[in-house]
Amino acid sequence: MVKKIPEKSKFEFLDVRLGIRLKYLVPILNFGEFATWLVGAGFKIQQTANVLDNFQGQKGSVDIYLDGNKGVFGVHAASIETAITTTREMIAIISKNYTSIESRIYFYEFDVTANYYYGADVYAKFATLFQDSKDIELINEVLGGGYSQGDIHFMPTGKNIDSSSWYELRIDPKFNSLGDMLIIKMICRDEDLTKAASMARAAQEKAEKIIQRVLTKR
């Protein structure tokens, strides 16, 4: 019996960034020393030209960044799990060479970017989105008619983006496609890595549910 070829997923991760922001008024970590420790652990590191305490690097297929001016560091990876593994390795390197900084972390932030193959005209679907909204009616009155929602973009109600807890989802038509692709961007931030990771792991499920329930039903 010939085995059925598995159907290709419509959802494709393009990049997963996991960043850490430290909380301090006076710097608690020398990022130049941090870069040196990473080199000793097998990372390839280079300083950003003419920018003090700003470094970029790689280890295998993972890219990393250090920005001492902003008190942030993190990784770019192909998957959520790889991002977590490398970030924990970086934290362990700091603990080995200096001190534990986990109590000094303000938040962990996942920034997930993905493609979604919709397989139909996404612009035609967006043209029908929220057309029963009074706000869309007002916008068309101001602009002279003929306008519709161009994306799906949600964030927490009444919460400031500087908060240590944040969730943001954006779904747009992908411009450099045949009009049948969507680009998905999701930010998941929390003071607890486990909670942030849980939100990030649900990125595909939540995005697909919104696409199916909001766009496809029309």
Side-chain angles (χ1 to χ4, degrees):
M1 179 182 293
V2 178
K3 290 184 178 180
K4 184 179 179 181
I5 299 175
E7 184 179 350
K8 184 178 179 181
S9 175
K10 293 183 176 183
F11 189 99
E12 176 192 12
F13 283 105
L14 297 178
D15 181 55
V16 176
R17 180 185 65 82
L18 171 52
I20 287 177
R21 178 178 291 278
L22 300 176
K23 52 182 178 183
Y24 57 73
L25 295 176
V26 177
I28 59 172
L29 178 64
N30 184 310
F31 275 71
E33 290 183 347
F34 186 14
T36 302
W37 301 334
L38 290 173
V39 170
F43 287 79
K44 295 180 180 179
I45 304 292
Q46 62 182 19
Q47 187 171 7
T48 305
N50 301 319
V51 182
L52 186 65
D53 287 338
N54 198 313
F55 303 85
Q56 295 178 339
Q58 300 83 34
K59 188 172 185 182
S61 61
V62 179
D63 294 329
I64 71 165
Y65 63 92
L66 315 176
D67 189 339
N69 297 311
K70 296 180 179 179
V72 300
F73 64 91
V75 308
H76 287 269
S79 72
I80 292 167
E81 304 312 320
T82 301
I84 293 172
T85 298
T86 305
T87 299
R88 283 178 169 161
E89 181 181 0
M90 294 171 71
I91 292 173
I93 289 169
I94 296 172
S95 297
K96 178 181 177 181
N97 290 276
Y98 178 51
T99 187
S100 174
I101 63 160
E102 292 187 338
S103 63
R104 309 288 184 91
I105 292 174
Y106 182 39
F107 60 71
Y108 300 85
E109 179 179 273
F110 284 89
D111 189 341
V112 177
T113 305
N115 275 337
Y116 184 85
Y117 176 67
Y118 188 70
D121 187 342
V122 298
Y123 295 99
K125 288 294 182 180
F126 272 99
T128 66
L129 199 63
F130 306 135
Q131 286 301 298
D132 55 350
S133 166
K134 294 295 183 181
D135 293 324
I136 293 293
E137 290 182 13
L138 178 59
I139 289 170
N140 273 295
E141 180 183 325
V142 172
L143 297 179
Y147 293 89
S148 59
Q149 184 81 12
D151 64 2
I152 297 173
H153 188 189
F154 293 106
M155 61 188 69
T157 301
K159 183 174 285 189
N160 192 297
I161 195 171
D162 291 331
S163 169
S164 60
S165 178
W166 183 260
Y167 183 89
E168 185 174 348
L169 172 64
R170 182 162 189 156
I171 302 173
D172 293 277
K174 188 169 185 178
F175 297 128
N176 58 338
S177 72
L178 297 176
D180 57 358
M181 296 280 292
L182 297 167
I183 187 80
I184 297 167
K185 196 171 184 65
M186 185 176 290
I187 296 176
C188 310
R189 179 194 304 164
D190 200 274
E191 296 176 9
D192 184 276
L193 176 58
T194 301
K195 292 181 180 178
S198 179
M199 290 189 288
R201 291 188 183 104
Q204 179 174 350
E205 177 188 2
K206 290 188 179 298
E208 288 184 333
K209 280 185 177 179
I210 288 178
I211 290 168
Q212 293 302 319
R213 295 180 183 181
V214 177
L215 284 182
T216 304
K217 73 175 184 179
R218 295 173 179 273

